[in-house]
Amino acid sequence: MRHSALPTLLSSLTAGALFLAPLAAQAETIRFATPQWPGATVKSEVTRQLVESLGYTATLQEASSSIILGAMASGDLDINMALWRPSQSGMLDPRLESGELIELTENIEDARFQLAVPGFVWEAGVRSMADLAEHGERFSHTFYGIEPGNVGNELMQEAIDDDTYGLNGWRVVASSEAGMMSQVETSITDEEWIAFLGWEPHWMNIDFEIRYLEDPENLWGDASSVSTVVAADFVERHPNLTRLLEQIVLPIEVQDAWVYDYSRRNVPLEEVASQWLADNPDVVLGWLEGVTSADGEQDAADRYHDTY
């Protein structure tokens, strides 16, 4: 019997929240999600910490891109900052066209996602996917990819199935990102030829001399970009954070460095993000222009200075 007044109390609180939109926004948890890619994970954690410094509560979950998009469409997640174009356009565009999701901005400059080889293979004359078949035995007729179902793996498999560039008979070895990079590192150390799924931002571009192969048939599509996407009602619910997300755009070198610290040096995720936020006020203050604290009572720049 002591809980008999609870429904009435909750009703009163709900009604009151209609007149206290800033407080409601402050109380609501902002739900970030990211695929298990180091660059995307650090970028999402940097943003999550920045959002929390403004007085919001924010969480970060990891899942595959397809699961994340479905959860965003159903209202269970809010933000994904790791949608690659053109490789993931096929899964993203239908949800944009249906109004389930909204694409806010391209958050990385000069991203790349395509087939790569070590620098010494490039110097030996393999500069295009059209050069691969001639040297098939040197590559063991094998491409190395990441997790099964990844779009990059599928593009390589389609090239094999369609005999594009004379690649019939080749195979794609799917692995984890860590597994693929271990194979790449071993091959480069031993000066063995390897063709693998490469992308930037990633620490592979810092630690290894790699080159991206030309693609005359345009199998990999036009230049890559990485988008920030939100659930359909997020813009209306959180105009303040929408402005922030639209302004978070960074050079690829910054995310390369994040990935290097997190994945290569094994610095804890939270530390990579918090240290970068503290060390780069010029960049962060640009992101915060016109943004306020969650309660709307303080300029976001002041909250940033108070935190970092």
Side-chain angles (χ1 to χ4, degrees):
M1 297 297 292
R2 62 181 176 179
H3 297 298
S4 60
L6 186 57
T8 302
L9 175 59
L10 290 176
S11 297
S12 299
L13 291 174
T14 302
L18 296 175
F19 301 97
L20 296 170
L23 293 179
Q26 183 179 7
E28 181 182 344
T29 297
I30 309 302
R31 301 160 299 178
F32 287 84
T34 179
Q36 293 179 317
W37 306 333
T41 300
V42 179
K43 176 171 54 184
S44 301
E45 176 63 13
V46 166
T47 307
R48 187 199 68 78
Q49 288 191 21
L50 187 58
V51 165
E52 286 212 327
S53 77
L54 302 182
Y56 296 89
T57 298
T59 60
L60 176 59
Q61 301 177 47
E62 290 187 332
S64 69
S65 295
S66 59
I67 290 175
I68 291 170
L69 292 181
M72 292 175 70
S74 64
D76 295 319
L77 292 171
D78 297 311
I79 304 164
N80 182 355
M81 302 181 72
L83 270 299
W84 281 74
R85 288 192 178 279
S87 61
Q88 291 185 316
S89 295
M91 68 169 67
L92 175 60
D93 285 342
R95 295 191 183 277
L96 297 176
E97 293 165 4
S98 68
E100 294 174 323
L101 306 176
I102 296 173
E103 187 172 17
L104 293 183
T105 190
E106 294 179 6
N107 59 59
I108 292 287
E109 301 170 352
D110 302 320
R112 289 189 286 190
F113 182 76
Q114 61 195 89
L115 201 65
V117 296
F120 60 82
V121 176
W122 173 275
E123 294 298 332
V126 180
R127 304 190 174 187
S128 166
M129 290 187 69
D131 299 324
L132 291 167
E134 179 183 352
H135 303 279
E137 291 187 6
R138 298 290 301 271
F139 291 103
S140 299
H141 298 95
T142 299
F143 296 125
Y144 288 88
I146 50 175
E147 72 275 0
N150 179 272
V151 173
N153 294 17
E154 293 175 353
L155 289 171
M156 291 185 286
Q157 188 61 54
E158 286 175 11
I160 294 169
D161 294 342
D162 296 340
D163 197 25
T164 310
Y165 300 121
L167 296 173
N168 183 40
W170 285 55
R171 66 188 181 116
V172 177
V173 174
S175 179
S176 65
E177 178 189 332
M180 186 194 76
M181 291 314 305
S182 177
Q183 182 65 51
V184 171
E185 183 169 15
T186 298
S187 297
I188 290 176
T189 299
D190 295 342
E191 296 192 2
E192 295 177 347
W193 287 31
I194 184 172
F196 59 95
L197 180 58
W199 64 91
E200 191 173 16
H202 192 275
W203 60 260
M204 71 177 84
N205 302 279
I206 297 176
D207 254 16
F208 304 138
E209 183 185 353
I210 66 172
R211 302 296 292 267
Y212 293 86
L213 295 182
E214 298 168 7
D215 176 25
E217 298 295 331
N218 202 33
L219 297 179
W220 295 85
D222 299 324
S224 293
S225 61
V226 185
S227 293
T228 298
V229 177
V230 297
D233 62 347
F234 184 85
V235 173
E236 182 177 354
R237 288 189 290 118
H238 295 289
N240 186 52
L241 290 182
T242 296
R243 183 181 181 108
L244 171 63
L245 292 170
E246 288 175 335
Q247 294 175 168
I248 295 181
V249 180
L250 60 151
I252 202 163
E253 295 80 9
V254 171
Q255 192 160 324
D256 277 343
W258 287 346
V259 178
Y260 186 81
D261 285 343
Y262 176 48
S263 286
R264 197 64 167 160
R265 296 181 57 230
N266 295 316
V267 179
L269 175 63
E270 295 79 5
E271 183 179 336
V272 174
S274 62
Q275 191 62 53
W276 187 88
L277 285 167
D279 291 345
N280 293 273
D282 291 345
V283 177
V284 178
L285 291 174
W287 295 350
L288 295 175
E289 184 176 351
V291 179
T292 70
S293 58
D295 59 15
E297 295 182 359
Q298 190 176 12
D299 187 85
D302 294 335
R303 291 295 294 260
Y304 168 75
H305 287 305
D306 290 345
T307 304
Y308 298 97

